[in-house]
Amino acid sequence: MRKCLLLLLLVTITLYGHTENGYDLWLRYPRIPAGPYNNQVQQLTASFYLPVTSPTLQAARDEVQIGSRGLTGKMAKPASKPHAHVPLLIAVYSPEMEKLTGIPPADTTGLGEEGYLIYSNSAGTRLRITARTDKGVLYGTFHFLRLLQTRQSLENLRIHSQPRLRLRLLNHWDNLDRTVERGYAGFSIWNWHTLPSLIDQRYIDYARACASVGINGSVLTNVNANATILTPAYLLKVKALADVFRPFGIKVYLTARFSAPIESGGLKTADPLHEEVRQWWKNKAKEIYALIPDFGGFLVKANSEGQPGPQDYQRTHADGANMLGEALAPHGGIVIWRAFVYAAENPVDRHMQAYNDFVPLDGKFLPNVMVQVKNGAIDFMPREPFHPLFGAMPKTPLMMEFQLTQEYLGQSTHLVYLAPLFKETLESDTWAKGKGSIVAKVIDGSLHSHSLNGMAAVANTGNDINWCGHPFAQANWYALGRLAWDHSLTSEQIADEWLRMTFSNEKKFINPVKKIMLESRDILVDYMNPLGLHHIMGTGHHYGPAPWVNDQRRPEWNPVYYHRADSNGLGFNRTATGSKALAQYSPEVRALWEDPADCDEKYLLWFHHIPWQQQLSSGRNLWDELVYRYYTGTARVKTIQETWNTVRPWVDRERHEQVRQLLNIQYEEAVWWRNACLLYFSGFSGRPIPGNFEQPDKTLDYYKSLRFPYAPGN
Ligand code: GCW
């Protein structure tokens, strides 16, 4: 019986190829087919010298062994002594090493704490990885393994790489009960209950994956914070994770609930100017650093969506942030204070509230405080213009906040590659210091000379076997790390690398699938939020379309607040005749978007209320263009499905099938978005969906009646 099963398994594997479940992410290290490249890699990894003097170097050595075993079938053998003929040498740079191994004089200046050099001889038979620090060596090792996995030439290499951003973080919105706010890939990967005694292999693999793309910090807990994480028992659990992550160059950070001194400290107030409160935080910081000497710091959401904060005591965000900054400073920690604030009592356009609150505070934050700004002013929409705070707070280091978990982009059932979205923001010109003052330069500190700088993204990981739910959602985690390391990489380069490592090096696979990835975000925008529409999704869970919702307690929780459809037209007038939000941008930016006649159409309804009959650049009027976009977006999902079917020969059965089924869901949901939105807006435009388009088979009432009481992540 056993034998039969084994045989069946073997047959299945031979018939369908190696079965995969996605757990290995882009660190699969599949066998390089026999041939010259395989021979070269075998020779290069036959023996390697990597002196292990720290857990970080141990991690590098382990990875070389895991990688070589997978790629060549033979595990690289560590050499006991360094010598000039060792094919692969991986070590922190030292003059002695240079002498012993014949490393040509290397310029390690400018490499900083995390950079590395990779170089090889012209035959590619000797390769050296060196850095100023152990961390640099580890990053270099991952880069080397990436070269092998993506089949790059190993000859005559001269790679000099160092991160453009200092802090490259994931923000986990993970709760202590293991639910994940806006998580669509299962429960939290942190099992708080069994920590600190049980170290799940997942923690280690998470750290490997992060380090392989240069992510160097992990905020473990939800910004809607729970003060329990700061209690002694939980800090021991945090310490256990910090110990796992440290060798991989990853620091842990926690979210600090502003009212923790009351909730967990028994104080009567959390007023940041109250001496007892300040002391409480200082003691807490001391307690944390005694356990975790390299603790990164606190991420704080305050006075936003019901979270406590300094304004509860008539203090400013700066008062609150500086109190924490003062507590962390003696230990080298930092405060990341979020700018995502808006208040129900405030009738001002939500788009403007963060700017109004924060710009007056520029220059008032302590040097170890950063302000973390979402890419756009509303909330991780499928497409948003860049946040007006970028460029507007020259004296404050601003950290980027992107979102990997696709809260508003199909959650984990839609294939959407986010690098183009990230790049669109990063390359937007703020004009803060004239032309070329792009957002990337604001956040890398080069525009306003800040040495504290960084990029964070809300993580999309969970305990699903493949980590992210959708196999292609892994690409977004990957892209975030790569862009935080080097924001000048193109979306295409990143997709190419990721596809090669995650699926296959076969051109017939890569080219069409890369195309899908690169187009996917625009396609989603068309079937969900074309022409600058935004925030018209289902209330609460944010799943599916619900532009009709108008009964929420807070005005800006209602989709009708954002689209403003009426019999005259559609869109939110944010110009001088409307909410005036445009005035928060530099005059040059304003000029780009102010006039509806030449405003970039991707932001048209974001900034303007446009009459239904107005003619757009296509020659179609607004209503017809809207119809056209919704239908085209949906039709293009069909094209993605067709392409995916053609690449079946190059993908393992398991993941091919999973993506195929997910694409079916994506198509159905695109149709749902299209039909629901067009039927609803048609009630305002007074025009039907033209007869040449396939007509919705359900009524608007049907779409309105749908309920999703258990939609995930809510
Ligand atoms: O996007 C919204 C989400 C909230 C989230 C909030 C934030 C963590 O719907 O779930 O809360 O943004 O970023 O603080």
Side-chain angles (χ1 to χ4, degrees):
M1 181 65 187
R2 262 243 184 101
K3 268 190 188 151
C4 279
L5 278 178
L6 213 75
L7 199 72
L8 192 72
L9 190 75
L10 269 177
V11 171
T12 320
I13 290 176
T14 14
L15 276 181
Y16 295 106
H18 175 54
T19 55
E20 305 221 24
N21 56 26
Y23 180 85
D24 293 335
L25 297 160
W26 48 88
L27 299 175
R28 290 161 58 248
Y29 305 120
R31 188 71 40 86
I32 302 170
Y37 197 75
N38 185 312
N39 295 343
Q40 192 181 12
V41 174
Q42 275 201 37
Q43 273 171 27
L44 202 52
T45 56
S47 124
F48 74 113
Y49 183 69
L50 195 168
V52 172
T53 50
S54 72
T56 298
L57 293 172
Q58 181 67 51
R61 179 158 145 174
D62 290 348
E63 203 66 32
V64 171
Q65 297 201 301
I66 300 172
S68 56
R69 189 185 51 208
L71 291 166
T72 68
K74 289 189 192 127
M75 199 191 295
K77 279 205 200 68
S80 55
K81 272 200 233 121
H83 55 83
H85 305 294
V86 69
L88 180 60
L89 181 125
I90 307 175
V92 172
Y93 180 80
S94 71
E96 299 76 59
M97 196 66 72
E98 183 179 320
K99 249 194 247 151
L100 276 170
T101 58
I103 302 183
D107 185 12
T108 56
T109 53
L111 278 182
E113 292 300 298
E114 299 181 305
Y116 53 84
L117 293 170
I118 301 178
Y119 47 98
S120 61
N121 61 358
S122 51
T125 51
R126 253 170 250 164
L127 187 142
R128 276 82 181 97
I129 303 170
T130 193
R132 284 183 48 208
T133 63
D134 298 358
K135 265 191 256 178
V137 167
L138 180 67
Y139 289 137
T141 302
F142 275 115
H143 188 140
F144 165 64
L145 291 166
R146 179 164 71 235
L147 295 176
L148 304 185
Q149 286 213 82
T150 55
R151 309 282 192 273
Q152 304 303 302
S153 159
L154 302 170
E155 284 137 38
N156 237 334
L157 296 177
R158 297 287 178 275
I159 296 169
H160 184 293
S161 182
Q162 81 207 70
R164 287 179 188 252
L165 294 169
R166 213 167 113 188
L167 301 173
R168 307 177 297 276
L169 309 190
L170 287 182
N171 291 181
H172 293 270
W173 285 357
D174 293 20
N175 298 313
L176 301 185
D177 63 2
R178 292 193 79 176
T179 55
V180 180
E181 181 149 357
R182 311 307 173 186
Y184 311 103
F187 287 92
S188 172
I189 46 182
W190 322 133
N191 188 339
W192 295 108
H193 186 65
T194 54
L195 278 165
S197 311
L198 199 151
I199 299 301
D200 194 317
Q201 178 63 32
R202 251 189 200 257
Y203 305 153
I204 301 163
D205 291 331
Y206 165 85
R208 287 175 54 226
C210 285
S212 75
V213 291
I215 290 167
N216 67 359
S218 178
V219 184
L220 303 176
T221 46
N222 191 354
V223 288
N224 288 332
N226 183 332
T228 307
I229 194 68
L230 300 175
T231 59
Y234 274 81
L235 288 177
L236 283 177
K237 299 169 191 280
V238 175
K239 171 190 162 38
L241 288 176
D243 290 343
V244 173
F245 298 164
R246 188 171 299 110
F248 296 90
I250 299 165
K251 287 186 180 181
V252 302
Y253 297 72
L254 292 175
T255 47
R257 183 159 165 90
F258 202 77
S259 51
I262 303 174
E263 287 151 25
S264 104
L267 303 191
K268 292 219 166 54
T269 175
D271 182 347
L273 298 190
H274 198 289
E275 206 32 60
E276 244 186 317
V277 174
R278 300 174 82 87
Q279 194 55 48
W280 188 86
W281 282 110
K282 284 182 190 158
N283 295 345
K284 188 49 74 182
K286 232 175 160 179
E287 182 187 342
I288 296 174
Y289 280 93
L291 292 169
I292 309 165
D294 57 352
F295 178 67
F298 291 135
L299 170 65
V300 189
K301 170 175 178 179
N303 293 119
S304 169
E305 301 185 321
Q307 293 300 305
Q311 293 176 341
D312 303 348
Y313 308 93
Q314 284 72 52
R315 313 297 185 199
T316 68
H317 284 289
D319 294 328
N322 290 344
M323 167 187 67
L324 296 177
E326 195 179 77
L328 295 173
H331 314 279
I334 62 157
V335 176
I336 305 169
W337 195 268
R338 293 177 89 229
F340 179 72
V341 296
Y342 62 95
E345 320 72 62
N346 192 342
V348 169
D349 179 1
R350 172 173 162 189
H351 199 290
M352 306 168 73
Q353 296 188 26
Y355 181 103
N356 290 346
D357 263 13
F358 278 85
V359 168
L361 300 176
D362 190 28
K364 302 219 163 88
F365 293 98
L366 287 180
N368 65 334
V369 175
M370 302 183 77
V371 171
Q372 181 165 297
V373 182
K374 287 188 182 181
N375 57 285
I378 298 297
D379 196 5
F380 302 135
M381 295 292 112
R383 171 164 274 137
E384 286 196 50
F386 71 91
H387 202 301
L389 274 175
F390 292 116
M393 294 184 68
K395 298 188 192 121
T396 311
L398 300 187
M399 177 130 161
M400 174 61 77
E401 179 173 326
F402 285 128
Q403 190 186 52
L404 305 180
T405 192
Q406 295 160 226
E407 178 177 359
Y408 304 103
L409 289 100
Q411 305 187 347
S412 64
T413 50
H414 294 214
L415 189 164
V416 192
Y417 174 51
L418 297 176
L421 184 161
F422 302 157
K423 293 284 291 185
E424 190 170 288
T425 306
L426 291 167
E427 285 167 2
S428 297
D429 202 340
T430 69
W431 283 84
K433 285 173 92 180
K435 191 171 168 47
S437 307
I438 58 171
V439 172
K441 290 189 183 166
V442 174
I443 62 147
D444 73 12
S446 61
L447 194 70
H448 299 119
S449 314
H450 291 296
S451 58
L452 197 56
N453 52 58
M455 186 190 290
V458 181
N460 60 358
T461 50
N463 69 351
D464 272 10
I465 196 149
N466 70 4
W467 301 84
C468 301
H470 199 303
F472 277 78
Q474 297 176 354
N476 298 329
W477 179 4
Y478 183 87
L480 185 274
R482 298 290 288 130
L483 282 174
W485 186 276
D486 182 358
H487 54 66
S488 74
L489 292 171
T490 66
S491 301
E492 181 176 0
Q493 274 170 290
I494 298 170
D496 192 271
E497 284 176 4
W498 179 80
L499 279 172
R500 286 172 183 276
M501 294 194 281
T502 308
F503 285 103
S504 161
N505 277 285
E506 173 60 53
K507 271 206 186 70
K508 291 187 190 134
F509 170 80
I510 293 169
N511 294 341
V513 180
K514 191 160 60 183
K515 185 160 179 285
I516 290 179
M517 286 176 76
L518 292 171
E519 293 174 350
S520 58
R521 188 279 195 123
D522 278 336
I523 292 175
L524 174 127
V525 167
D526 272 352
Y527 67 70
M528 275 190 187
N529 287 190
L531 299 169
L533 281 174
H534 53 285
H535 217 286
I536 55 173
M537 69 292 159
T539 297
H541 48 62
H542 297 171
Y543 172 63
W548 46 81
V549 171
N550 62 2
D551 60 355
Q552 294 300 295
R553 187 165 48 82
R554 300 172 57 145
E556 74 295 325
W557 282 354
N558 291 297
V560 296
Y561 172 93
Y562 298 94
H563 64 66
R564 312 218 163 187
D566 55 24
S567 57
N568 175 48
L570 180 65
F572 196 142
N573 180 359
R574 292 191 160 109
T575 68
T577 60
S579 82
K580 305 186 173 54
L582 250 179
Q584 295 183 333
Y585 291 95
S586 301
E588 294 83 353
V589 177
R590 223 181 296 153
L592 273 179
W593 297 334
E594 205 155 41
D595 181 356
D598 58 17
C599 173
D600 191 336
E601 280 178 4
K602 59 181 189 245
Y603 302 137
L604 189 61
L605 304 177
W606 190 281
F607 289 118
H608 300 280
H609 190 74
I610 301 289
W612 293 111
Q613 71 283 1
Q614 182 161 314
Q615 199 185 334
L616 304 187
S617 64
S618 61
R620 288 181 279 269
N621 66 34
L622 174 63
W623 171 249
D624 289 339
E625 183 66 18
L626 203 65
V627 172
Y628 174 81
R629 295 289 181 121
Y630 271 111
Y631 274 88
T632 315
T634 309
R636 290 175 79 192
V637 179
K638 262 258 141 66
T639 316
I640 296 184
Q641 291 179 294
E642 286 158 15
T643 307
W644 187 250
N645 291 339
T646 66
V647 300
R648 192 189 298 267
W650 299 286
V651 188
D652 48 282
R653 194 189 53 83
E654 214 170 334
R655 287 184 301 168
H656 189 276
E657 184 55 19
Q658 191 184 3
V659 172
R660 192 188 66 77
Q661 294 188 47
L662 285 165
L663 287 172
N664 288 342
I665 299 178
Q666 184 171 354
Y667 180 72
E668 280 164 19
E669 294 188 352
V671 171
W672 172 28
W673 271 91
R674 178 193 77 192
N675 291 354
C677 292
L678 287 176
L679 286 171
Y680 171 73
F681 289 129
S682 151
F684 294 92
S685 75
R687 297 152 204 245
I689 298 171
N692 53 327
F693 290 100
E694 180 196 332
Q695 298 293 305
D697 58 350
K698 304 266 185 352
T699 63
L700 180 56
D701 283 336
Y702 165 80
Y703 291 117
K704 285 186 178 177
S705 74
L706 297 175
R707 293 290 175 276
F708 306 96
Y710 304 111
N714 190 15

